[in-house]
Amino acid sequence: MSKRTRRHFAIFTTASLPWMTGTAINPLFRAAYLAKDGDKDVTLVIPWLCLKDQELVYPNKIVFDSTLEHESYVRHWIEERIDFKPSFGIKFYPGKFSTEMRSILPVGDITDCIPDEMADIAVLEEPEHLNWYHHGRRWKNKFRRVIGIVHTNYLAYVRREKNGQVIACFLKYANTWVTRIYCHKIIRLSGATQDLPRSIICNVHGVNPKFLEVGKLKLRQLQSGEKGFTKGAYYIGKMVWSKGYRELLDLLSKYQSKLAGLEVDLYGSGEDSDAVHESAKGLSLVVNVHPGRDHADPLFHEYKVFINPSTTDVVCTTTAEALAMGKIAICANHPSNEFFKQFPNCRIYNNEEEFVQLTLNALSEQPAPLTDMQRYELSWEAATERFIEAADINPHAPESRTHQTSRASLPALMRTRRLKQNLEDASVYLHQALSGLEVTRRAFGAVPKTLQPDEQLCKDLGLAPPAKRRKLKFKLTT
């Protein structure tokens, strides 16, 4: 395919390995599989943190002295999990870790990471998060097409905080605002996220192929008459109450007599680990609490039943992984689990009594074997196909950028579109004005002094020092 017809995908995300979070892992797989056939150019753009922030974010005291070290770690991780050589590029944007939000926030204008001549399709993983404090080039002006993928149900999380309803109301408006002005199309992974302008619901995530291999192995064992599963029920997830631990322990506590003899293993690490451990000790059921581990660890291969009562996820990665491994997954009837309803091993409960019955049934039954089509639906190949279709991208011919048309020749429809465009331009101007003021940024939760990268970030990333960057920006705007 000629260079002129190749599409370039720049995938911007809000986290990076070794932080084992969904926005670090899923965009990495997306980049690998978009680039797999060699007919697209793909660049993954991830945050670079200074050493102090790395120590706060990355587990097991893993830190990097350079972007080359960090890139090598990311590439090694993905190459161990796929059966082909990934051919995508990696670039870094300056980031700062917000201890208050427990999130990485961009610093400066991160659109600069992609040269203008390469700017074609931008994929913004968590577009609201990337744009709350965006002060720089307008995404739609630089890129031909901007696709946002909504990963997180932010409203569900903030509602659990003090004054949560008020904060959620404001955040809902802010998310709508920034996604409308900066994205052409929004993909919501499930109906658990807020409705956004120009959005479609589609699960564009797949599972690590290693989990599908485990599922094939278990199927062969069952077909040959072996005992495929030697352990009962478990749950794995970040150990914070909002990730389903509260709901699960409440259910186990309320129905201890009906579930007598049930043993459940919980795996996770997080701020509420001690509290979860204490709560579990108060039950008559055997509930073992263990530190977090990689779900791909062979330890998990022997469990037959995955219990996930969480209702704060958008699409739960661990549920998909459990199904891929051939397990029975017990989940709440919630929009986040809609995609999983097509799989016979996903058992959905509507109330507490159904949870108890489904759990008892699952422990006494064998999982149904996955068909080839069901296995494919869980794969990253299928997820990539769904992404291309949902994003409404022409895989070969780049879209032409909007051109000016004389007012006299505009029909009524075009004049309406121009009016909408003018309103959007005014909205962008207002957002840029507010995001350019330190006092406004601080009032709405931005990390202090993040309009431009500081001296350390500039040094780490080989950028011009802050003073020179400010002078250059002044010259360009005068």
Side-chain angles (χ1 to χ4, degrees):
M1 186 177 293
S2 70
K3 291 270 186 187
R4 293 177 60 189
T5 58
R6 289 172 69 91
R7 306 305 306 260
H8 180 267
F9 291 77
I11 302 173
F12 293 78
T13 190
T14 56
S16 174
L17 297 174
W19 193 9
M20 296 294 291
T21 187
T23 50
I25 296 168
N26 289 310
L28 176 56
F29 274 108
R30 193 180 329 283
Y33 279 85
L34 275 171
K36 182 179 180 181
D37 293 336
D39 59 349
K40 308 174 192 69
D41 296 318
V42 181
T43 302
L44 178 65
V45 190
I46 56 180
W48 167 263
L49 298 175
C50 65
L51 187 60
K52 182 181 69 174
D53 279 352
Q54 289 183 45
E55 291 171 346
L56 291 173
V57 177
Y58 299 148
N60 305 319
K61 298 182 180 179
I62 300 173
V63 293
F64 307 102
D65 292 327
S66 69
T67 56
L68 287 175
E69 268 189 40
H70 195 167
E71 178 176 344
S72 177
Y73 181 96
V74 171
R75 289 195 182 281
H76 179 72
W77 189 93
I78 189 67
E79 286 170 8
E80 282 192 326
R81 288 159 176 80
I82 56 180
D83 59 1
F84 60 93
K85 185 76 172 176
S87 58
F88 60 92
I90 294 179
K91 291 195 174 186
F92 292 85
Y93 68 80
K96 286 282 187 183
F97 181 64
S98 167
T99 53
E100 185 178 330
M101 293 185 182
R102 300 295 303 170
S103 297
I104 298 170
L105 297 172
V107 176
D109 182 5
I110 66 174
T111 69
D112 286 344
C113 294
I114 302 296
D116 285 2
E117 62 271 18
M118 293 173 62
D120 182 12
I121 300 166
V123 182
L124 307 186
E125 312 267 355
E126 296 204 310
E128 64 280 68
H129 183 146
L130 287 169
N131 284 303
W132 286 326
Y133 311 109
H134 178 64
H135 184 75
R137 187 90 171 264
R138 184 178 176 184
W139 294 93
K140 288 181 183 178
N141 286 353
K142 176 155 184 169
F143 293 89
R144 290 185 172 91
R145 190 143 179 87
V146 185
I147 309 299
I149 302 178
V150 178
H151 289 243
T152 306
N153 188 355
Y154 287 108
L155 302 186
Y157 286 114
V158 300
R159 285 190 184 110
R160 295 171 181 245
E161 299 175 3
K162 185 180 179 181
N163 302 318
Q165 291 298 332
V166 175
I167 299 171
C169 183
F170 170 79
L171 184 60
K172 183 178 180 180
Y173 173 78
N175 291 344
T176 300
W177 186 18
V178 297
T179 53
R180 182 190 296 277
I181 62 178
Y182 291 126
C183 298
H184 293 106
K185 186 86 177 266
I186 296 291
I187 299 173
R188 299 162 56 202
L189 295 176
S190 78
T193 58
Q194 76 174 83
D195 193 10
L196 291 168
R198 297 187 286 268
S199 68
I200 184 173
I201 295 173
C202 182
N203 176 23
V204 294
H205 286 177
V207 300
N208 178 339
K210 298 292 185 186
F211 293 104
L212 293 167
E213 290 303 316
V214 174
K216 291 177 183 177
L217 172 62
K218 289 298 172 185
L219 178 59
R220 288 195 295 270
Q221 289 176 342
L222 291 170
Q223 288 175 337
S224 64
E226 296 179 48
K227 192 173 183 180
F229 303 96
T230 60
K231 297 179 183 176
Y234 77 109
Y235 176 54
I236 181 172
K238 185 177 180 182
M239 203 162 279
V240 292
W241 286 121
S242 60
K243 280 290 187 181
Y245 287 95
R246 170 60 66 200
E247 291 85 346
L248 178 55
L249 289 174
D250 284 350
L251 285 165
L252 296 179
S253 175
K254 187 173 180 179
Y255 294 96
Q256 292 182 79
S257 59
K258 290 187 177 182
L259 294 170
L262 173 68
E263 183 172 337
V264 181
D265 291 331
L266 307 180
Y267 294 87
S269 300
E271 300 92 299
D272 296 325
S273 293
D274 291 341
V276 170
H277 197 277
E278 284 300 312
S279 183
K281 285 199 299 187
L283 300 177
S284 61
L285 297 174
V286 178
V287 179
N288 305 302
V289 182
H290 307 277
R293 304 175 76 119
D294 190 328
H295 202 193
D297 192 303
L299 169 77
F300 295 106
H301 297 180
E302 299 305 312
Y303 286 98
K304 182 169 68 170
V305 181
F306 177 77
I307 301 177
N308 181 11
S310 175
T311 56
T312 57
D313 289 301
V314 172
V315 172
C316 184
T317 302
T318 49
T319 299
E321 292 167 349
L323 290 169
M325 288 190 281
K327 305 180 189 302
I328 296 172
I330 297 174
C331 307
N333 191 359
H334 185 263
S336 61
N337 295 317
E338 194 65 32
F339 176 78
F340 302 127
K341 290 180 179 179
Q342 65 183 292
F343 302 98
N345 287 331
C346 181
R347 313 288 174 84
I348 299 291
Y349 63 89
N350 296 287
N351 53 56
E352 296 177 345
E353 293 288 344
E354 284 189 11
F355 166 81
V356 174
Q357 193 57 53
L358 288 175
T359 301
L360 294 173
N361 291 347
L363 291 168
S364 63
E365 299 171 0
Q366 288 298 336
L370 282 176
T371 66
D372 290 342
M373 182 54 69
Q374 289 164 352
R375 195 175 291 113
Y376 180 74
E377 283 297 303
L378 290 166
S379 72
W380 267 105
E381 285 88 354
T384 303
E385 288 183 5
R386 292 194 296 266
F387 165 71
I388 294 294
E389 184 177 350
D392 197 20
I393 293 170
N394 183 329
H396 304 304
E399 296 91 347
S400 59
R401 289 187 172 90
T402 305
H403 60 274
Q404 300 292 326
T405 309
S406 66
R407 182 175 294 275
S409 65
L410 286 174
L413 179 60
M414 291 302 291
R415 282 198 291 269
T416 301
R417 288 179 178 171
R418 181 54 54 85
L419 175 61
K420 288 181 178 179
Q421 185 63 53
N422 289 340
L423 290 172
E424 187 172 289
D425 291 343
S427 192
V428 172
Y429 179 83
L430 177 60
H431 185 261
Q432 290 282 308
L434 293 174
S435 64
L437 298 172
E438 182 68 14
V439 63
T440 311
R441 294 171 67 86
R442 293 286 298 275
F444 293 118
V447 176
K449 300 179 181 178
T450 51
L451 258 173
Q452 294 294 329
D454 60 24
E455 190 172 340
Q456 186 60 53
L457 283 171
C458 288
K459 181 180 177 182
D460 291 346
L461 293 169
L463 304 173
K468 288 187 179 180
R469 290 173 67 87
R470 281 193 291 271
K471 287 180 182 177
L472 178 62
K473 187 175 182 181
F474 176 76
K475 287 180 182 178
L476 291 173
T477 56
T478 56

